[in-house]
Amino acid sequence: MNLYQLRDLIENSSAAEWVKVEPAGVTYRYRFEVSTDRDGGEQVSVDGHRVVAVYAANVNLTMAYGMPEVKGTRWRNEDLEFEWATFPDKRFTVENADIFWAGALIHRVNYLGADGGRAYLPLGGGNDGLDVTRLDVAVAGIIDDLEGGSRFRPYVDGVPYRIQD
């Protein structure tokens, strides 16, 4: 299976075809960051995804999600605001969803925890984060459903996304 076939598979799948590994917890999908502490020494921090989901029809396809976006990158979780957001709660978080094939990382998608965590939405490029792919939308929708959301379509339809593929 090639990368384009995997993208199509994910784009055309639903959350019902993914099995969320329960209980959520240690996922063995970590990120290590090295920084300098106040004394000039190195400090290592570890962060990880909070959830892993497996595509039931082919267990080689997995998705880990819930790792906060790295500070200092384009989309940070501090004071994140979007002019297009018309939600009652203006708080957002930016997280990563990593897609794996046979254990190898093949794609990363940024997504938003929107409206104070009531919905998960795609986050793409452009100055406003609205340049998204069909894969970005599909991944955010799967995550929203797996996390118990039921309002993904009204939320995503209310945002002026620009599909880029």
Side-chain angles (χ1 to χ4, degrees):
M1 189 167 293
N2 68 41
L3 184 58
Y4 301 107
Q5 291 169 320
L6 288 171
R7 284 179 60 125
D8 287 343
L9 184 66
I10 296 165
E11 290 170 11
N12 294 308
S13 72
S14 70
E17 298 171 87
W18 291 82
V19 177
K20 187 173 160 182
V21 177
E22 298 280 3
V26 178
T27 63
Y28 304 100
R29 306 292 170 96
Y30 300 114
R31 170 179 61 215
F32 298 93
E33 295 181 63
V34 179
S35 59
T36 305
D37 63 21
R38 290 186 292 189
D39 298 327
E42 286 188 347
Q43 177 178 324
V44 177
S45 60
V46 180
D47 205 353
H49 291 288
R50 69 177 187 278
V51 179
V52 171
V54 179
Y55 185 65
N58 190 331
V59 298
N60 281 314
L61 182 59
T62 60
M63 178 171 42
Y65 63 90
M67 186 182 320
E69 180 62 9
V70 178
K71 292 179 181 176
T73 57
R74 181 165 185 224
W75 303 116
R76 297 179 305 280
N77 284 318
E78 302 91 27
D79 303 320
L80 189 62
E81 293 181 17
F82 295 102
E83 289 182 19
W84 49 261
T86 59
F87 311 128
D89 190 329
K90 302 293 185 203
R91 290 177 293 164
F92 289 93
T93 58
V94 181
E95 297 179 347
N96 294 323
D98 289 336
I99 300 167
F100 297 86
W101 177 256
L105 178 63
I106 61 169
H107 193 74
R108 173 167 288 152
V109 172
N110 285 332
Y111 65 93
L112 292 170
D115 198 11
R118 289 180 187 84
Y120 294 95
L121 297 172
L123 177 63
N127 291 335
D128 51 11
L130 296 176
D131 294 338
V132 296
T133 65
R134 288 188 318 272
L135 182 61
D136 295 333
V137 175
V139 167
I142 291 167
I143 291 169
D144 190 76
D145 284 351
L146 288 173
E147 291 301 304
S150 60
R151 298 181 289 174
F152 177 73
R153 191 47 51 196
Y155 270 93
V156 81
D157 288 347
V159 178
Y161 286 114
R162 297 179 296 270
I163 303 297
Q164 299 299 304
D165 55 4

